[in-house]
Amino acid sequence: MLITSQPFSHRLFFITIILFSVSVTARADVSFFLLEAVGFAAQWNSAGHASVHLSNVCTDNYTQLRPCRTGERGVVISSFRNLGAEENYEWMAMPLLPFLYGVEDERDIPLYVNEAILTALRERYRRQRLADLIPVANDGYWQHLIGAALRRDIYAFTVTTSAEQDATFIAAFNHAPNVNRFRQFSNNCTDFAARVLNQYYPHSARRDWLNDFGTTTPQAIAKSFSKFAKKHPELQFRITRFSQAHGTLKRSQDARKLTQEALRSPKYLAPLLLWQPHLAVGFAGSYWLFGRFNPDREYRQHAGETKLFGTKQDWKEANTAFAQLLAQADEVQFFFRELEQNGEPSFDAAGALQLQLKATGQMVGLTRSNLRSHNHQLAYKLLLAKIAAELQAKEKNRDSFATFQANWDLLASVQYRER
């Protein structure tokens, strides 16, 4: 049930992060990160991207690894075609929060994101932390190492590890040459992630030769790693999802295997049916019999906390309560677009994101640390727009109900102060 008068609780909003970070502090983990498809890549194959989070492995310079100290949350290791660094590195290791949200403090996670905001976050982090590796802003894939969850959904498939496994991995990767030999079909980002997983648990990550035509896709590794983990209950398998931020960025697309993409995408399916219908039948049979895997369904089965998602009645009550709020509020349907067109992002004295409206000069805080430090009317409208976006989203694209409730509580706290 939604409560509109209680103050906002930081603890509740970050429940999805806490569920993930508890394992970071209490034990060592390795997580396969399945990142949904975005940009040009989403237009031609929707394979997505793959990275690996190691909760007890950290770094001081992004290319050399060490054990984590107390309070650290580990690194996400990623490989790309071209990271844009002065050295042609195969991989870089990024601390967890900057990788997900482009910030170093949970209180500074943006409530709203557009292209200008994402660019500002990435450039600030490059200047403050990566200048030795990337002294000049460029089009390299280093940008994808910062704020990844602001642009796309990410599924984390997690199992436990040991300090001994971490030490072995650190020694192996620190002594191996970090030189990029990227090849799209034989040594891509997912091949790299599979190599990391197999360093910890041999044969846990396997490509799907039949459904991916010999290459390696993130969904194939997610499926094989999940299958391996389920056979070993002592590994305490669980799945977390980091949902794409609200705003005007185009939504990410489901990560797919290649036969699945051929069957789901009209640009591939239409020619197949017209010129090679027997291939379409073969692809369908291959995927149906050997390739099927739904990351979101797996997430809901292995999240470890069923109350996280809310019931149909919970969401129904939320819709009813929100309709009553909208009856008393200004139009919010186009507020995100208005912020994109008329807002200029910057950072306040504490380093938190803010947005100034060019026409009026009014300022709106974009994080939980500074939302109530600026124009309260704009803050209230921003939260209304967030809640509206959540309620209008498809079930698969919704954040957890716990996070939704926390946003509602934050709205109530802003409304209460207005009075």
Side-chain angles (χ1 to χ4, degrees):
M1 179 178 178
L2 292 168
I3 303 173
T4 59
S5 59
Q6 70 178 52
F8 168 70
S9 164
H10 283 281
R11 181 181 61 83
L12 184 56
F13 170 72
F14 291 114
I15 188 169
T16 52
I17 295 179
I18 290 171
L19 285 171
F20 187 77
S21 62
V22 161
S23 61
V24 173
T25 56
R27 55 176 174 255
D29 296 324
V30 57
S31 301
F32 175 71
F33 273 16
L34 170 65
L35 292 81
E36 290 194 335
V38 296
F40 175 76
Q43 298 175 19
W44 72 278
N45 71 6
S46 291
H49 178 64
S51 297
V52 177
H53 173 239
L54 303 170
S55 71
N56 202 34
V57 175
C58 289
T59 184
D60 292 319
N61 63 0
Y62 303 94
T63 60
Q64 285 286 301
L65 306 174
R66 61 166 174 78
C68 289
R69 304 183 184 102
T70 301
E72 293 181 310
R73 296 182 172 182
V75 294
V76 179
I77 301 182
S78 305
S79 177
F80 280 98
R81 181 188 304 277
N82 174 22
L83 286 165
E86 290 196 316
E87 299 292 332
N88 189 26
Y89 294 116
E90 178 183 27
W91 58 268
M92 288 175 60
M94 184 66 59
L96 179 62
L97 269 180
F99 176 85
L100 292 173
Y101 302 112
V103 298
E104 297 180 281
D105 190 315
E106 290 172 348
R107 296 171 299 176
D108 293 332
I109 295 173
L111 294 165
Y112 158 84
V113 178
N114 59 34
E115 198 67 51
I117 290 170
L118 183 58
T119 299
L121 284 170
R122 287 172 168 173
E123 177 58 13
R124 179 178 68 166
Y125 194 87
R126 184 199 66 79
R127 285 187 285 104
Q128 292 181 347
R129 304 298 185 198
L130 296 176
D132 289 343
L133 298 177
I134 307 166
V136 179
N138 56 54
D139 294 331
Y141 284 93
W142 63 269
Q143 299 178 62
H144 293 259
L145 303 178
I146 304 167
L150 300 178
R151 193 172 204 107
R152 50 181 157 189
D153 285 347
I154 301 174
Y155 293 89
F157 300 80
T158 304
V159 298
T160 58
T161 60
S162 67
E164 291 75 19
Q165 286 174 300
D166 288 330
T168 299
F169 175 81
I170 290 172
F173 266 59
N174 281 347
H175 287 91
N178 186 357
V179 179
N180 200 333
R181 297 184 178 87
F182 187 97
R183 292 186 296 275
Q184 182 65 49
F185 296 103
S186 59
N187 191 31
N188 60 33
C189 65
T190 314
D191 289 302
F192 173 82
R195 197 164 86 233
V196 173
L197 296 176
N198 286 327
Q199 174 86 22
Y200 277 87
Y201 294 106
H203 312 299
S204 63
R206 299 173 180 268
R207 67 179 64 183
D208 184 341
W209 289 88
L210 192 59
N211 285 287
D212 289 324
F213 313 139
T215 189
T216 311
T217 63
Q219 193 185 119
I221 300 305
K223 180 179 180 178
S224 65
F225 190 60
S226 298
K227 184 178 180 180
F228 173 86
K230 291 173 188 176
K231 290 181 179 179
H232 298 274
E234 71 278 8
L235 297 183
Q236 302 177 49
F237 178 57
R238 62 263 187 213
I239 302 175
T240 306
R241 188 182 77 178
F242 301 96
S243 298
Q244 181 178 345
H246 291 124
T248 56
L249 298 178
K250 187 176 181 180
R251 280 214 64 86
S252 59
Q253 297 181 20
D254 294 349
R256 297 171 178 169
K257 293 186 179 180
L258 298 190
T259 52
Q260 183 185 15
E261 175 69 3
L263 295 169
R264 295 287 299 274
S265 176
K267 64 179 176 289
Y268 297 128
L269 182 59
L272 274 176
L273 292 175
L274 183 62
W275 301 108
Q276 299 289 341
H278 61 283
L279 277 182
V281 174
F283 289 169
S286 175
Y287 182 73
W288 181 262
L289 292 173
F290 306 110
R292 284 184 299 161
F293 184 78
N294 186 318
D296 194 66
R297 186 178 299 127
E298 292 289 317
Y299 161 58
R300 293 174 186 278
Q301 292 175 357
H302 298 282
E305 178 54 72
T306 56
K307 293 181 180 179
L308 198 64
F309 307 109
T311 64
K312 289 184 178 180
Q313 184 62 28
D314 289 331
W315 288 104
K316 183 179 179 180
E317 290 179 5
N319 270 292
T320 301
F322 187 68
Q324 296 171 358
L325 276 182
L326 280 185
Q328 308 167 17
D330 295 331
E331 178 63 48
V332 299
Q333 183 178 0
F334 302 107
F335 188 61
F336 282 171
R337 187 64 62 187
E338 178 185 344
L339 292 180
E340 179 180 48
Q341 294 173 347
N342 301 316
E344 186 71 32
S346 61
F347 300 94
D348 64 21
L353 267 169
Q354 56 189 6
L355 202 67
Q356 185 173 32
L357 298 186
K358 299 173 185 177
T360 63
Q362 293 174 309
M363 194 78 74
V364 56
L366 296 182
T367 74
R368 283 166 173 76
S369 64
N370 69 352
L371 182 70
R372 286 168 285 190
S373 300
H374 298 293
N375 188 290
H376 279 217
Q377 184 178 4
L378 292 177
Y380 187 70
K381 202 169 182 179
L382 173 65
L383 292 170
L384 282 177
K386 277 181 66 68
I387 291 173
E390 198 69 53
L391 291 173
Q392 293 165 9
K394 297 178 181 178
E395 183 180 16
K396 182 261 177 189
N397 293 332
R398 284 177 179 167
D399 212 329
S400 70
F401 192 77
T403 301
F404 174 83
Q405 173 72 68
N407 284 329
W408 188 282
D409 293 343
L410 182 56
L411 175 72
S413 73
V414 172
Q415 183 183 37
Y416 179 80
R417 186 165 175 175
E418 285 270 306
R419 293 173 181 172

